[in-house]
Structure formats: C-alpha cells, structure tokens
C-alpha cells in the first residue's frame, strides 16, 4: 500500500491526474455544447460552405415567404432517413423563414394509402394551401436534377443542378396566388422557340405560355395578357399587323425580340415600331468599348433600369450577340412615351456590308400609352379619346417592348455563361407587363465539381504552392528535434 500511495505522490502522477481531469472537463464541455447546439434551429446549425451556395435563399423567396398571409403545408412523401440530406436540410431552412409554412413527413412504406390520397408517387413533395384550395407537387428529381445528356452519351447520370429554392418558391407562389398570367407566343413567321431554361422560368413564375398563329386565329384572344414575338424570320401580314395594332390600342402588351433580319426585310414590323417611336438601324452593332474579349459583336449593353427592371440584378452583366440597333424617334401620337433601358456605348458602330456608322444605339426600349375604354370604338383616334375622357375614368396602359437582340435568351449564351444576368433581365421585362406581379423565378444552382486551377504559373506561384508549405514542415521538424535533444 505504501508503494501504491507513493506512486500517486510523484510529480509525474500528479501531472497525469491533472491532465486526465482537464481532459474529462473538456470532453464534458464538448458534450454539453453539442447538446445545446443540437437544439438550435437549422439555419444556425448548418453553415453552407459549398462553392455554389445550394442552401442560400435569395431575397425574392424571403420576401414572398415574409408576406404570406395564408398557411402553406409542405407534405413530404418519403422515408425521411433515406432522403438526400441536402433536401432535408433545405426544407428545414426554408420552412423556418415563415410561420405560415409547415413541413410534415409521411412514410409511404408505413402509410401506402397516402400515395393514393395525394395522387402522386413516392419521393414527392406536395405543397398545398387550404385557403385557396390549390395543390401542386414537386418531385425530388426536379430538385436534384441529373445531367441526362451525359447519361445518353456515357450511360451514367451525374448530378447537374440543385433547384430546391426555385421549385419550392414557385410552388408556394402558385398555391397562394389566385391569378395566372396568360402569355401567347406567335408562330408562323419562323420564330425561335423558347429554351428549356426560359420555359422553366416562365412556369416557375406562374405564366401560362401558349402558341398563337395569327393568320389562323385572325384576332388576339381576350385572355392574352402578353403577346410575345420571338425573333421572327418573316414579316407580319397586313391583317396580322392590324390585329396587333388594335390589341395595343385597347391596352394590350406586346414584346418583340428581333432576330437576324434587318428592318428592310420586316417592313410591317418596322412600321409598327416606328409608330411607337422606335426605328431600326440596318446592320449589326459592334462596340469596341463594351465587348467580350475583343469580339466586337458580342457586347455588354449599358443598362438604365427602373426599380422593377433592376430586381435581382446586381452585376449588370448582360451579354448579347449580333444585335441590331434602334434609334428613338417621334411617335405617331403624343400620348406615347418611349424610353430606352438598354443601349450601346457612344463608340459603337452599325456595320453593314457598305458602311460603318458610329454612334450610341438603343438595344432595348419600351413604349407606353395610357388607354381609355373609349379607344376601343375608334382605335385611330386614341389621342382625342384620351383627352376627352374624364380624368376619373378607368384607365390602363398599353405596353410595347422591343429588344433588338433575340440572343438575350439564346441558350448558347445563357447556358454557357451561367453567371450572366440575361434570364433575370428577360423575366423582369416580361413581368413588367403584369400589374401587381413580381418576378419570382429563381434559377437552379450548379452542382458541378469546381476545380482549383493554376493560371500563369511563375516563380512566385511555385513559392506559394510549394515553398511555403515546405518551409513550415522544415521549421516544425527543427523545433521538434531541438526539444527532443533538450
């Protein structure tokens, strides 16, 4: 016993006991802190360190959720423990942004009747609002999107995008909104179709897009809230031009994106534009001052945006290619106001086979005109009708928007340069045609692996990459060796 007692009285034993005691206290503190942190909300516990910020929620969603007045239920039909952690984490973060949003999980293995009740399949999110009675679904495959092109070529599907915010915000907006905007896209003139990226954004914003052949229909439907003419290769006929004019005079909204045709090849469309204070310039616009890497025909326009058009736009990096130019002229009626929101620099050129004319050219403009109910009876006398109508009469505005480069939404630009704000710009312009509507379409975040690469390798780069780590290792070894000899 004496030897044992003496063993515990040595300096080494006392230091060892002290170390064990300190270790025990530290372990206890760590355990308690873990228990405390585990009770914190998800938004504080889970920090997004991914390069593409898949869990980051934009101000658009925060505003929508913050203004909710109706309760929204997000029902997840899946086995929670087997669900992708990214989806579980995002649902927790998303629901914490509003007290009107609740998430409930239903295990379809334990409750198979739930699939029949909701009329959907496993691994699906059902978003519903009792107040409006509307319901929609979002599949897990729509949130974590696979690259099917890679699957077709290689036989292996890789994860390409995470669209949790875009899909859920669109679903919440749909079930809580009473209205759906109707957009008609003209056909029959060689128009460009909308890319899948733009079509998805239109759907997310609750816009229903349908095709309209004016030659066959003869008139524009009464439920049309926006007529979209996307890069036509052929001109409108006289009857079609008259139908569009009548639609505008009655308070309609028209959006025209010009393609590769010069104004001389589209005389009726050019005449319509001129009535609204916009005249096309022949040739393509080259801008040495605001071009993409020395390619003068790929240019970054100068933006002059209203508060509504600037929503979600921070860098103002919008790229267009092979754009035609516009100049603003006197409109056919004094009641028409035409404003440019996108233009080249003053050093740009309108280039044709024969000439290069320097100047500042408009690349996007909008013409508005107040319209009274009386103008339906005599479309050509809009000016007098507006003046003679009582000031208290119900008025609305017609809106004619022209973008001189259909490449604004060309997938070869929007899908290749994902950091550009082309699609945000386009959706803001579309949304401006609807009263009381904001652009809530949110693009998915890339899940592609990002690699760190070394650009312009030199002596300094080699020193930073290899020299400093080697110096630290040598210093550490020297310090260790000295202490061991001491």
């Amino acid at each position: 016993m004496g030897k044992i007692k003496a063993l515990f009285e040595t300096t080494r034993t006392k230091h060892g006991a002290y170390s064990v005691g300190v270790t025990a206290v530290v372990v206890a503190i760590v355990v308690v802190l873990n228990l405390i942190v585990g009770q914190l909300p998800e938004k504080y516990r889970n920090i997004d360190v991914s390069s593409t910020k898949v869990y980051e929620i934009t101000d658009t969603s925060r505003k929508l959720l913050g203004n909710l007045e109706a309760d929204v239920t997000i029902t997840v039909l899946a086995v929670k423990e087997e669900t992708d952690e990214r989806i579980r984490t995002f649902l927790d973060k998303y629901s914490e942004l509003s007290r009107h949003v609740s998430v409930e999980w239903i295990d379809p293995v334990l409750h198979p009747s739930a699939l029949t009740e909701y009329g959907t399949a496993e691994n699906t999110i059902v978003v519903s609002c009792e107040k409006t009675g509307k319901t929609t679904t979002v599949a897990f495959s729509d949130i974590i999107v696979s690259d099917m092109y890679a699957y077709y070529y290689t036989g292996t599907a890789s994860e390409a995008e995470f669209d949790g915010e875009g899909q859920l915000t669109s679903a919440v907006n749909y079930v809580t909104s009473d209205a759906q905007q109707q957009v008609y896209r003209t056909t029959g003139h060689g128009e460009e179709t909308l890319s899948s990226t733009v079509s998805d954004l239109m759907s997310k914003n609750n816009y229903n897009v349908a095709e309209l052949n004016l030659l066959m229909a003869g008139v524009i439907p009464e439920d049309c809230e926006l007529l979209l003419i996307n890069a036509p290769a052929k001109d409108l006929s006289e009857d079609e031009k008259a139908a569009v004019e009548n639609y505008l005079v009655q308070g309609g909204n028209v959006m025209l994106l010009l393609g590769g045709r010069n104004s001389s090849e589209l005389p009726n469309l050019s005449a319509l534009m001129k009535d609204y204070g916009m005249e096309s310039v022949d040739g393509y616009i080259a801008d040495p001052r605001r071009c993409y890497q020395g390619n003068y025909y790929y240019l970054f326009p100068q933006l002059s945006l209203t508060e509504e058009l600037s929503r979600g736009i921070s860098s103002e990096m919008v790229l267009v290619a092979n754009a035609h130019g516009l100049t603003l002229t006197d409109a056919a009626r004094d009641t028409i106001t035409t404003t440019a929101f996108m233009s080249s620099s003053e050093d740009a050129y309108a280039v044709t086979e024969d000439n290069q004319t320097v100047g500042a050219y408009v690349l996007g403009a909008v013409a508005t005109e107040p319209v009274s109910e009386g103008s339906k009876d005599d479309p050509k006398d809009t000016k007098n009708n507006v003046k003679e109508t009582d000031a208290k009469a119900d008025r609305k505005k017609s809106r004619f928007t022209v973008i001189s480069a259909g490449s604004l939404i060309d997938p070869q630009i929007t899908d290749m340069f994902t950091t550009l704000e082309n699609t945000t710009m386009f959706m803001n312009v579309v949304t401006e045609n609807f009263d009381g509507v904001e652009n809530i379409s949110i693009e998915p975040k890339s899940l592609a692996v990002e690699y760190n690469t070394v650009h312009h390798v030199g002596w300094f780069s080699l020193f930073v990459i290899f020299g400093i780590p080697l110096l630290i290792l040598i210093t550490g070894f020297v310090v260790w060796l000295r202490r061991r000899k001491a």
Side-chain angles (χ1 to χ4, degrees), residues 38-63:
Q39 302 303 313
L40 295 175
E42 184 72 26
K43 61 182 178 181
Y44 300 117
R45 285 191 288 118
N46 201 314
I47 301 174
D48 188 359
V49 295
S50 60
S51 59
T52 53
K53 301 294 182 182
V54 294
Y55 301 137
E56 186 177 88
I57 300 177
T58 63
D59 292 338
T60 300
S61 296
R62 293 177 182 275
K63 183 177 180 179

Side-chain angles (χ1 to χ4, degrees), residues 87-104:
I87 295 178
R88 298 201 313 264
T89 300
F90 189 82
L91 284 171
D92 290 339
K93 286 179 171 292
Y94 194 84
S95 60
E96 288 172 355
L97 295 177
S98 174
R99 60 185 179 85
H100 290 287
V101 177
S102 60
V103 177
E104 61 180 37

Side-chain angles (χ1 to χ4, degrees), residues 212-257:
L212 174 65
N213 189 310
L214 275 173
L215 280 177
M216 297 174 62
V219 295
I220 298 173
E222 291 185 0
D223 65 341
C224 178
E225 297 180 75
L226 175 62
L227 182 69
L228 177 62
I229 309 174
N230 184 26
K234 298 179 181 178
D235 198 16
L236 300 180
S237 68
E238 289 291 343
D239 290 340
E240 290 175 309
K241 176 175 176 284
V244 174
E245 286 177 330
N246 188 55
Y247 173 67
L248 279 169
V249 167
Q250 295 184 32
N253 302 306
V254 177
M255 186 171 174
L256 169 64
L257 282 81

Side-chain angles (χ1 to χ4, degrees), residues 111-398:
H111 306 281
S113 60
L115 300 180
T116 304
E117 178 184 348
Y118 286 97
T120 188
E122 187 178 355
N123 294 332
T124 301
I125 299 173
V126 180
V127 182
S128 59
C129 177
E130 184 177 356
K131 183 178 179 179
T132 61
K134 297 172 71 174
T135 300
T136 190
T137 59
V138 177
F140 283 4
S141 59
D142 293 329
I143 294 178
I144 300 179
V145 184
S146 298
D147 184 359
M148 299 311 298
Y149 289 104
Y151 176 77
Y152 292 142
Y153 286 107
T154 66
T156 304
S158 58
E159 295 178 350
E161 297 173 330
F162 184 85
D163 198 17
E165 182 185 4
Q167 293 292 335
L168 287 178
T169 297
S170 173
V172 171
N173 179 62
Y174 169 75
V175 299
T176 56
S177 175
D178 296 327
Q180 184 178 42
Q181 278 65 44
Q182 179 64 52
V183 179
Y184 282 95
R185 182 178 64 82
T186 62
T187 61
H189 311 90
E191 292 93 338
E192 295 287 341
T193 58
L194 297 176
S195 67
S196 59
T197 300
V198 174
S199 296
D200 290 343
L201 292 175
M202 298 283 269
S203 298
K204 286 179 179 179
N205 231 35
N206 208 14
Y207 301 158
N208 181 46
V209 182
E211 293 184 351
L212 174 65
N213 189 310
L214 275 173
L215 280 177
M216 297 174 62
V219 295
I220 298 173
E222 291 185 0
D223 65 341
C224 178
E225 297 180 75
L226 175 62
L227 182 69
L228 177 62
I229 309 174
N230 184 26
K234 298 179 181 178
D235 198 16
L236 300 180
S237 68
E238 289 291 343
D239 290 340
E240 290 175 309
K241 176 175 176 284
V244 174
E245 286 177 330
N246 188 55
Y247 173 67
L248 279 169
V249 167
Q250 295 184 32
N253 302 306
V254 177
M255 186 171 174
L256 169 64
L257 282 81
L258 296 176
R261 297 294 181 180
N262 287 321
S263 58
S264 58
E265 300 174 285
L266 306 170
N268 284 332
L269 274 173
S270 296
L272 180 65
M273 292 165 52
K274 192 170 183 179
D275 285 346
Y276 283 83
M278 293 171 272
E279 189 167 1
S280 296
V281 176
D282 285 337
Y284 293 105
I285 303 302
D287 195 338
R289 184 193 294 182
R290 299 184 60 84
C291 63
Y292 171 71
Q293 297 185 359
N295 191 329
Y296 297 161
Y297 295 97
Y298 281 71
L299 56 107
F300 295 96
Q302 297 178 151
L303 305 182
S304 302
L305 305 178
T306 62
E307 181 180 353
E308 291 75 15
L309 287 180
S310 63
R311 294 185 187 277
I313 294 180
S314 55
S315 67
E316 295 193 2
M317 295 301 289
V318 173
L319 178 65
V320 296
N322 301 326
H324 293 288
L326 305 172
T327 57
L328 300 188
T329 61
D330 293 333
R333 296 179 292 275
D334 294 339
T335 51
I336 296 175
T337 302
T338 307
T339 307
F341 59 84
M342 195 163 61
S343 61
S344 70
S345 72
E346 296 179 352
D347 297 331
Y349 292 85
V351 182
T352 64
E353 293 183 358
D354 303 319
N355 296 302
Q356 296 183 12
T357 308
V358 67
Y361 297 96
V362 174
L363 304 176
V366 58
T368 59
E369 182 178 24
V371 178
S372 69
E373 294 298 325
S375 58
K376 292 184 178 181
D377 300 326
D378 186 3
K380 295 181 180 180
D381 196 23
T382 306
K383 178 179 177 181
N384 293 331
N385 280 323
V386 171
K387 286 185 176 181
E388 294 174 2
T389 303
D390 192 311
K392 296 182 180 180
D394 183 25
R395 279 186 174 187
K396 57 182 178 180
K397 285 185 177 181
S398 66

